[in-house]
């Protein structure tokens, strides 16, 4: 799946941060560092690399002038969407070409069981 991703140039930490901003919305460097269990200095480096690629942008914090808030850009949204689509395409192709009919049936049954577990 990683090979299918169009974001091979991003490190795992960068992918995690941009995904978090995509799903959870804008936040501060400190909050991202806590969420990703890294030092604020490390998070600043990750964000600088993402900002350089115009995948995230910074804006002033609305109430604390000492901080900034990072959010995902339109280009970042497109990148995340593209990655998801590439991974889904790879998985569907792999299921179709690498599994026989019995294995696909077993996978469908296992998927139903997993869905049931998640819903409980």
């Amino acid at each position: 799946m990683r090979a299918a991703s169009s974001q091979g140039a991003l490190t795992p930490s960068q992918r995690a941060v941009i995904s978090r901003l995509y799903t959870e919305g804008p936040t501060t460097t400190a909050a991202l560092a806590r969420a990703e269990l890294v030092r604020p200095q490390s998070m600043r480096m990750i964000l600088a690399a993402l900002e350089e690629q115009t995948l995230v942008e910074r804006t002033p914090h609305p109430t604390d002038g000492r901080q900034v808030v990072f959010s995902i850009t339109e280009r970042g949204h497109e990148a995340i969407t593209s990655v998801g689509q590439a991974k889904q395409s790879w998985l569907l192709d792999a299921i179709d070409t690498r599994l026989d009919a019995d294995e696909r049936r077993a996978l469908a049954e296992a998927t139903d069981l997993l869905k049931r577990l998640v819903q409980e």
Side-chain angles (χ1 to χ4, degrees), residues 51-68:
E51 191 173 24
E52 185 176 302
Q53 297 176 63
T54 65
L55 298 173
V56 300
E57 63 187 355
R58 67 175 72 206
T59 56
H61 192 282
T63 60
D64 185 347
R66 299 168 296 164
Q67 294 191 60
V68 294

Side-chain angles (χ1 to χ4, degrees), residues 13 17 30 32-43 46:
S13 296
V17 169
L32 283 168
R34 281 190 301 275
E36 293 296 321
L37 304 174
V38 299
R39 295 187 333 241
Q41 297 87 344
S42 299
M43 184 54 64
I46 293 167

Side-chain angles (χ1 to χ4, degrees), residues 3 10 16 19 23 30-31 33-34 37 43-44 54 69 75 86 93 95 99 101-103 108-109 116:
L10 294 179
S19 294
T23 58
R34 281 190 301 275
L37 304 174
M43 184 54 64
R44 281 194 288 276
T54 65
V69 174
R75 185 167 184 244
D93 182 62
I95 290 168
L99 301 180
D102 289 338
E103 291 170 324
E109 290 171 4
R116 192 177 82 206

Side-chain angles (χ1 to χ4, degrees), residues 13-14 26-27 42 47 88 90 102 109 113-114 116 120:
S13 296
Q14 291 168 347
T27 192
S42 299
L47 288 166
Q88 184 176 13
W90 177 90
D102 289 338
E109 290 171 4
L113 291 173
L114 288 170
R116 192 177 82 206
E120 289 178 357

Side-chain angles (χ1 to χ4, degrees), residues 1-8 86-87 90:
M1 273 193 194
R2 285 188 191 128
S5 168
S6 63
Q7 281 199 294
K87 289 179 178 182
W90 177 90

Side-chain angles (χ1 to χ4, degrees), residues 78-103:
E78 291 168 3
I80 289 292
T81 302
S82 173
V83 167
Q85 289 171 344
K87 289 179 178 182
Q88 184 176 13
S89 292
W90 177 90
L91 185 58
L92 291 173
D93 182 62
I95 290 168
D96 189 45
T97 60
R98 298 180 187 179
L99 301 180
D100 63 31
D102 289 338
E103 291 170 324

